[in-house]
Amino acid sequence: QKEVEQNSGPLSVPEGAIASLNCTYSDRGSQSFFWYRQYSGKSPELIMFIYSNGDKEDGRFTAQLNKASQYVSLLIRDSQPSDSATYLCAVQIPGAQKLVFGQGTRLTINP
Amino acid sequence: GAVVSQHPSWVICKSGTSVKIECRSLDFQATTMFWYRQFPKQSLMLMATSNEGSKATYEQGVEKDKFLINHASLTLSTLTVTSAHPEDSSFYICSAREWTVNQNIQYFGAGTRLSVL
């Protein structure tokens, strides 16, 4: 089992709809969770981070964390074509300096 | 968010030469920096973790004598690709970790695209 798993997609969502991106992790002791966005040919850009169970909202983005289910998600409301990118889920596992990344989900917003 | 500067953004070199890539944290001190490599349409691959004032920790399969990392100050880490060959052509990305109260966040540089002829 991979430490961090994401559906690689591609995920296609119509413009204006809600895009839902999911991520599961294997280490129950993980404390910190991050979502990065990576446009083609560019480096990753931090979108959100979440540490506590529940929802965290920032503009059109909402991160959701459920530690009991070892599940973290990212919702993008009112999706725009500019949201088309690969979204990377990253987890800080206990005792490690590094982040463990999922393989990324490619999201396409269709006008 | 914090800013990480990476230079150069593009480099083309001849096979057998060495290339140095710099990664700087501009508005925070980074005791830990990370170096990644990414091939087209593939995932990020962590190469090494760089700690200020100590030797880097390399991931399994990464040649430490080929990819030299120096983290000489709290704001600068460098990656030198020694005796580069065409198979080293890739997108190299650094990140720096910012510690604040109860937060531990990695910010990425813009990346360096290396082409070895």
Side-chain angles (χ1 to χ4, degrees):
Chain A
Q1 181 187 7
K2 291 182 181 177
E3 291 178 284
V4 179
E5 291 205 57
Q6 295 179 254
N7 187 327
S8 60
L11 175 65
S12 292
V13 173
E15 184 176 358
I18 296 175
S20 177
L21 303 159
N22 305 314
C23 174
T24 58
Y25 59 95
S26 60
D27 194 320
R28 188 170 287 279
S30 300
Q31 296 292 324
S32 308
F33 308 87
F34 304 83
W35 283 100
Y36 289 86
R37 176 176 64 197
Q38 187 175 23
Y39 290 114
S40 181
K42 303 293 185 182
S43 67
E45 170 192 12
L46 180 66
I47 297 296
M48 291 193 72
F49 57 88
I50 186 167
Y51 301 136
S52 304
N53 271 330
D55 294 359
K56 179 181 179 183
E57 188 174 316
D58 183 1
R60 295 187 296 111
F61 298 95
T62 298
Q64 298 176 317
L65 175 61
N66 184 327
K67 290 187 178 180
S69 299
Q70 295 175 235
Y71 176 95
V72 58
S73 65
L74 179 70
L75 302 178
I76 306 174
R77 289 182 299 282
D78 187 24
S79 298
Q80 303 296 310
S82 59
D83 295 325
S84 298
T86 296
Y87 288 80
L88 301 169
C89 171
V91 176
Q92 180 95 48
I93 59 177
Q97 293 182 306
K98 64 184 180 182
L99 293 179
V100 179
F101 284 85
Q103 72 269 36
T105 299
R106 189 156 57 92
L107 173 67
T108 301
I109 307 300
N110 301 307
Chain B
V3 179
V4 176
S5 173
Q6 188 172 341
H7 179 81
S9 54
W10 285 86
V11 60
I12 301 173
C13 70
K14 292 182 179 180
S15 185
T17 60
S18 295
V19 173
K20 180 184 281 189
I21 302 169
E22 290 189 350
C23 181
R24 294 181 184 271
S25 56
L26 295 188
D27 50 2
F28 66 100
Q29 293 183 332
T31 54
T32 305
M33 293 185 176
F34 304 87
W35 288 96
Y36 296 83
R37 180 167 56 180
Q38 189 174 38
F39 293 104
K41 300 191 185 301
Q42 293 190 20
S43 302
L44 283 176
M45 188 194 81
L46 179 66
M47 299 175 67
T49 300
S50 165
N51 288 298
E52 186 265 338
S54 64
K55 291 183 179 180
T57 301
Y58 291 82
E59 296 296 303
Q60 192 172 9
V62 178
E63 300 174 59
K64 60 182 179 182
D65 293 332
K66 181 170 185 62
F67 299 100
L68 300 179
I69 292 172
N70 185 2
H71 193 157
S73 77
L74 288 172
T75 58
L76 174 64
S77 176
T78 60
L79 168 69
T80 301
V81 182
T82 62
S83 186
H85 291 286
E87 58 266 28
D88 299 321
S89 299
S90 188
F91 190 37
Y92 292 85
I93 314 171
C94 73
S95 72
R97 189 172 71 175
E98 179 185 37
W99 280 99
T100 59
V101 176
N102 296 324
Q103 292 185 6
N104 170 15
I105 300 173
Q106 274 191 42
Y107 296 96
F108 284 85
T112 297
R113 201 162 298 281
L114 170 63
S115 294
V116 184
L117 305 178

